Every structure is written in structure tokens, then in C-alpha cells.
Amino acid sequence: MNTLTASIALPAVLLQAQAQSVANGLVASLTAQLAKGGEAVLDASALSQFDSSALAVILACHRAVQAKGAQLRVTGLPERAQTLAKVYGLSALLH
């Protein structure tokens, strides 16, 4: 994998019960793969069953990636998750 880019996918099911363990795993994977100044791509296209805790997972990834001096790009975010992000005022962070 190119050390300037890290790419990882969210699971299809991401509810509150799994959120912390998913966040921990994604953050560990992204930060291990990511070079300073690189870009992380979080593919959310598989999300089919989720609640607002999915946004918390994405935000945890965003913070971890920023701490490495890199940028996070979220792709494939389902429309319902985009609507949730708007309600919580997080839309700008997810693009």
C-alpha cells in the first residue's frame, strides 16, 4: 500500500453496540498505514444498518488522522447518514 494514502471500509452494520470496537480497529489500521501529510479514505458505501454512533466512529477516525497530520476523505456515505450529519452540524467534516 502507498504510505501516502490509507484506505479502509466501514462495516455494513454499525450500531452503538459495536461502535467503540469498530472505532478502535479503524483508528489503529488507519494510523498504522498513514504517512504524515497523507490522505485517509474511509469508504462508507457498505453501511446499510447504522445509527448516529456511525458518525461518532467517523469522527474518531477524523481526529486520529488529523493527529497524524493527514486528511480524511469519506466516500460512499449513504444519504441517511448524510442527513444525520446535517442534523448534528457535521456535514463539513465528512466531505
Side-chain angles (χ1 to χ4, degrees), residues 10-15 43-51 54-55 58 74 76-78 80-81:
L10 289 173
V13 177
L14 183 47
L15 302 170
D43 180 1
S45 60
L47 274 179
S48 59
Q49 185 180 358
F50 59 92
D51 57 22
L55 295 177
I58 294 170
V74 180
L77 195 63
R80 192 168 63 87

Side-chain angles (χ1 to χ4, degrees), residues 52-68:
S52 61
S53 61
L55 295 177
V57 170
I58 294 170
L59 289 176
C61 292
H62 185 266
R63 285 190 297 269
V65 166
Q66 278 195 318
K68 292 266 306 194

Side-chain angles (χ1 to χ4, degrees), residues 14-90:
L14 183 47
L15 302 170
Q16 185 177 6
Q18 305 94 350
Q20 189 62 57
S21 64
V22 169
N24 292 345
L26 290 174
V27 165
S29 292
L30 285 171
T31 56
Q33 296 176 35
L34 193 59
K36 183 174 181 167
E39 179 183 56
V41 178
L42 192 59
D43 180 1
S45 60
L47 274 179
S48 59
Q49 185 180 358
F50 59 92
D51 57 22
S52 61
S53 61
L55 295 177
V57 170
I58 294 170
L59 289 176
C61 292
H62 185 266
R63 285 190 297 269
V65 166
Q66 278 195 318
K68 292 266 306 194
Q71 298 296 316
L72 179 69
R73 181 167 44 102
V74 180
T75 63
L77 195 63
E79 189 173 322
R80 192 168 63 87
Q82 291 179 33
T83 301
L84 278 174
K86 285 179 188 172
V87 168
Y88 289 111
L90 302 173

